[in-house]
C-alpha cells in the first residue's frame, strides 16, 4: 500500500511541475499577445508584427493544449485513486465474507484484520487495550479456524485470492 | 458490490489541483504585494499587476478546460443558493458540495471581477504591454517628459481611472478579509480543515497505515 501512495505522490509532483510550466507559458503568452496587440493598435502591419502575431497565436494554442493535457493527467490520477478505492472496498468485502465463513467471533475478526494489516502482537494488544497473551490466544484460534499454520500462511490466503481471480469489483 | 464510491462527486476535493492552488496563492500574493508593499505606478507594481493578469487568465482558461471541480459549471454564481448556504451554516447544518460552496463561489466571482477591474484600469493607465511601463520609467529617468505629457481631457480620464483602480482595490481587500473570516468560521462549524486542501492536501494518505513485511 505504501508503494501505491508513493505512486500518487510522484504523480502529484508531476502535475505540479506541469502546472508550473503552464504558468511560465502563460506569462510568455500574456507578454507576447499584449505586445502584438499594442503594435496592432498603433497600426503598423509589418513582417515583424505578423511573426509576432503567429508566435502569440501559437503560445495561446499551446496554453490551451497544455491545459487539456494537464486536465487529462489529473483525471487519470483521480480515476486510478477511485479504482484503488473500489478494489480496497471489494477486498475488504472478500475478507469479511471469509471471516464469517470461518466463524470468527467479532473480537477474533478485529484481531485478524489488524494482523492482516501487518501489526504485531504488541501493537494489536495496545490498540485493543488487551493483554498480549489474550491477543496471542485469539490469533492462534484464528489460525486454527482458518486451517493455517501461522501469520504468513494466513496473509497468503488472501493474496492468493487476489492473484487467482484478479481484482474483483469493477 | 462496489463500496467506497462515495469519495467522488459529493465532497470537495481533498486536494485542489495544482493550477487552482498556484493561481489562488499567486493572486493572494499579488494582491498583498500591490496593495501593501509596492508603490502605485512604480515599475515593480506594474509588473506584479501583469503577473496578476497572467494568473487570472490562466485560472479562467482552467475554468473552461480544467478538471470537473475547477470548471465554472461546478460552481455557478447563484446568489439564492449562496444565501441558502449561509442559512445552513447558521443552522449548523452545512451541506457538502463537490466544489466551492455557493457562498464561496459568489466570493470567487466577485474577486475575479474586481481583479479584472483593477488590472484593466491599471493597464489603461500604464500601457497595453509590460514594456510600456519600462519605457515610461526610462523616459522619467532621462527626464524626457515629452512622451508623458498629457492633455487636459487625458488628465481627467486618468483621474477617473485612478479612482476606480483604488476603490476596486480597497473592495478586494475588504472581500479578502470576508473570505478569510468565512473560511475560518465554516471550517470550525464543519469541523474540517479547509485550508489544507488548498496547500498540500495529503489527508487520505496519513489515514492508511503503512503495510509492513510479515
Amino acid at each position: 500500500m505504501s508503494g501505491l501512495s508513493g505512486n500518487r505522490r510522484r504523480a502529484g509532483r508531476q502535475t505540479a511541475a506541469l502546472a508550473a510550466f503552464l504558468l511560465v507559458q502563460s506569462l510568455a503568452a500574456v507578454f507576447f499577445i499584449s505586445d502584438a496587440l499594442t503594435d496592432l493598435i498603433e497600426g503598423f502591419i509589418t513582417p515583424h508584427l505578423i511573426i509576432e502575431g503567429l508566435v502569440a497565436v501559437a503560445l495561446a494554442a499551446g496554453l490551451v493544449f497544455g491545459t487539456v493535457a494537464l486536465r487529462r493527467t489529473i483525471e487519470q490520477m483521480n480515476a486510478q485513486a477511485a479504482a484503488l478505492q473500489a478494489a480496497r472496498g471489494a477486498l475488504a468485502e472478500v475478507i469479511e465474507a471469509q471471516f464469517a465463513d470461518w466463524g470468527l467471533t467479532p473480537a477474533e475478526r478485529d484481531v485478524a484484520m489488524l494482523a492482516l494489516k501487518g501489526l504485531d502482537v504488541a501493537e494489536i494488544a495496545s490498540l485493543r487495550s488487551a493483554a498480549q497473551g489474550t491477543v496471542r490466544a485469539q490469533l492462534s484460534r484464528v489460525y486454527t479456524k482458518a486451517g493455517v499454520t501461522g501469520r504468513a500462511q494466513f496473509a497468503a490466503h488472501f493474496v492468493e485470492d487476489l492473484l487467482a481471480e484478479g481484482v474483483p469489483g469493477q | 458490490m462496489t463500496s467506497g464510491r462515495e469519495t467522488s462527486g459529493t465532497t470537495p476535493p481533498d486536494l485542489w489541483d495544482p493550477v487552482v492552488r498556484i493561481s489562488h496563492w499567486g493572486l493572494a500574493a499579488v494582491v498583498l504585494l500591490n496593495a501593501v508593499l509596492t508603490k502605485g505606478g512604480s515599475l515593480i507594481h506594474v509588473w506584479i499587476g501583469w503577473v496578476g493578469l497572467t494568473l487570472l487568465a490562466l485560472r479562467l482558461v482552467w475554468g473552461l478546460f480544467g478538471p470537473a471541480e475547477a470548471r465554472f459549471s461546478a460552481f455557478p454564481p447563484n446568489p439564492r443558493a449562496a444565501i441558502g448556504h449561509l442559512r445552513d451554516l447558521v443552522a449548523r447544518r452545512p451541506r457538502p458540495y463537490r466544489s466551492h460552496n455557493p457562498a464561496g463561489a459568489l466570493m470567487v466571482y466577485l474577486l475575479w471581477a474586481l481583479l479584472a477591474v483593477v488590472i484593466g484600469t491599471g493597464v489603461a493607465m500604464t500601457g497595453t504591454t509590460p514594456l510600456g511601463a519600462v519605457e515610461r520609467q526610462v523616459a522619467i529617468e532621462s527626464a524626457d517628459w515629452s512622451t508623458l505629457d498629457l492633455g487636459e481631457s487625458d488628465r481627467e480620464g486618468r483621474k477617473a481611472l485612478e479612482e476606480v483602480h483604488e476603490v476596486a482595490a480597497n473592495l478586494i481587500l475588504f472581500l479578502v478579509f470576508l473570505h478569510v473570516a468565512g473560511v475560518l468560521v465554516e471550517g470550525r462549524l464543519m469541523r474540517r480543515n479547509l485550508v489544507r486542501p488548498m496547500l498540500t492536501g495529503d489527508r487520505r494518505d496519513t489515514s492508511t497505515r503503512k503495510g509492513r513485511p510479515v
Side-chain angles (χ1 to χ4, degrees):
Chain A
M1 225 144 270
S2 58
L4 288 168
S5 55
N7 260 346
R8 274 186 69 194
R9 249 192 306 279
R10 211 169 311 124
R13 266 202 300 276
Q14 210 171 42
T15 54
L18 267 174
F21 176 70
L22 212 58
L23 178 66
V24 174
Q25 211 177 3
S26 329
L27 278 169
V30 162
F31 178 84
F32 252 90
I33 292 170
S34 70
D35 208 37
L37 278 180
T38 308
D39 287 354
L40 203 63
I41 292 166
E42 284 166 6
F44 310 123
I45 302 274
T46 58
H48 178 85
L49 174 60
I50 292 169
I51 291 173
E52 216 176 52
L54 274 177
V55 173
V57 169
L59 274 169
L63 188 59
V64 170
F65 285 136
T67 305
V68 172
L70 181 55
R71 192 261 309 277
R72 292 230 174 96
T73 311
I74 288 173
E75 279 174 352
Q76 230 163 39
M77 267 172 55
N78 289 347
Q80 273 168 12
L84 179 61
Q85 197 76 11
R88 271 182 192 151
L91 179 59
E93 276 173 33
V94 169
I95 293 172
E96 286 296 333
Q98 186 63 261
F99 283 0
D101 213 35
W102 286 331
L104 301 190
T105 66
E108 285 167 357
R109 276 181 212 197
D110 275 2
V111 171
M113 195 56 107
L114 291 173
L116 272 184
K117 287 192 172 172
L119 276 67
D120 62 30
V121 171
E123 284 171 317
I124 297 175
S126 79
L127 261 180
R128 291 177 51 79
S129 30
Q132 292 196 18
T134 316
V135 173
R136 221 170 270 126
Q138 282 166 328
L139 269 180
S140 69
R141 273 202 301 280
V142 168
Y143 297 154
T144 311
K145 286 179 180 175
V148 297
T149 56
R151 180 189 284 247
Q153 241 188 33
F154 180 61
H157 181 91
F158 295 100
V159 175
E160 191 196 30
D161 260 9
L162 271 182
L163 291 178
E165 296 168 19
V167 179
Q170 275 293 298
Chain B
M1 181 66 181
T2 49
S3 63
R5 263 279 148 143
E6 68 278 7
T7 45
S8 64
T10 53
T11 55
D14 290 335
L15 172 62
W16 290 98
D17 68 63
V19 175
V20 169
R21 281 181 287 152
I22 287 176
S23 60
H24 175 269
W25 293 112
L27 283 171
V30 163
V31 166
L32 195 68
L33 284 173
N34 266 3
V36 182
L37 290 178
T38 67
K39 200 166 142 285
S42 66
L43 191 59
I44 185 88
H45 184 92
V46 172
W47 277 77
I48 290 175
W50 279 93
V51 172
L53 169 60
T54 305
L55 288 164
L56 185 62
L58 178 63
R59 181 62 185 88
L60 294 182
V61 170
W62 198 237
L64 291 175
F65 302 107
E69 75 267 5
R71 242 175 283 164
F72 301 134
S73 54
F75 55 104
N78 184 345
R80 192 173 298 170
I83 291 170
H85 178 75
L86 292 181
R87 220 172 262 154
D88 285 350
L89 263 189
V90 172
R92 304 195 161 227
R93 240 181 302 111
R95 269 173 291 168
Y97 295 89
R98 65 198 264 251
S99 184
H100 307 290
N101 70 59
L106 212 58
M107 175 67 77
V108 169
Y109 287 112
L110 273 178
L111 280 170
W112 285 344
L114 285 169
L115 279 170
V117 168
V118 171
I119 292 169
T121 49
V123 167
M125 285 188 285
T126 58
T128 49
T129 155
L131 290 181
V134 179
E135 280 159 16
R136 252 163 30 94
Q137 190 73 14
V138 169
I140 290 169
E141 271 160 17
S142 62
D144 171 17
W145 300 98
S146 60
T147 56
L148 300 169
D149 212 9
L150 301 166
E152 190 61 37
S153 64
D154 277 355
R155 216 167 288 159
E156 291 271 295
R158 206 194 147 79
K159 257 231 158 94
L161 284 176
E162 240 175 65
E163 198 75 12
V164 174
H165 193 75
E166 270 170 30
V167 169
N170 285 332
L171 260 177
I172 288 180
L173 285 181
F174 174 65
L175 285 182
V176 164
F177 170 75
L178 273 189
H179 165 59
V180 172
V183 167
L184 288 180
V185 168
E186 172 147 348
R188 176 155 299 183
L189 286 180
M190 294 184 78
R191 286 169 200 285
R192 65 182 291 174
N193 191 332
L194 295 169
V195 181
R196 198 162 25 190
M198 197 49 100
L199 282 170
T200 55
D202 252 2
R203 194 191 313 162
R204 197 173 295 156
D205 282 352
T206 49
S207 66
T208 56
R209 203 177 180 290
K210 252 187 171 175
R212 83 166 60 148
V214 184

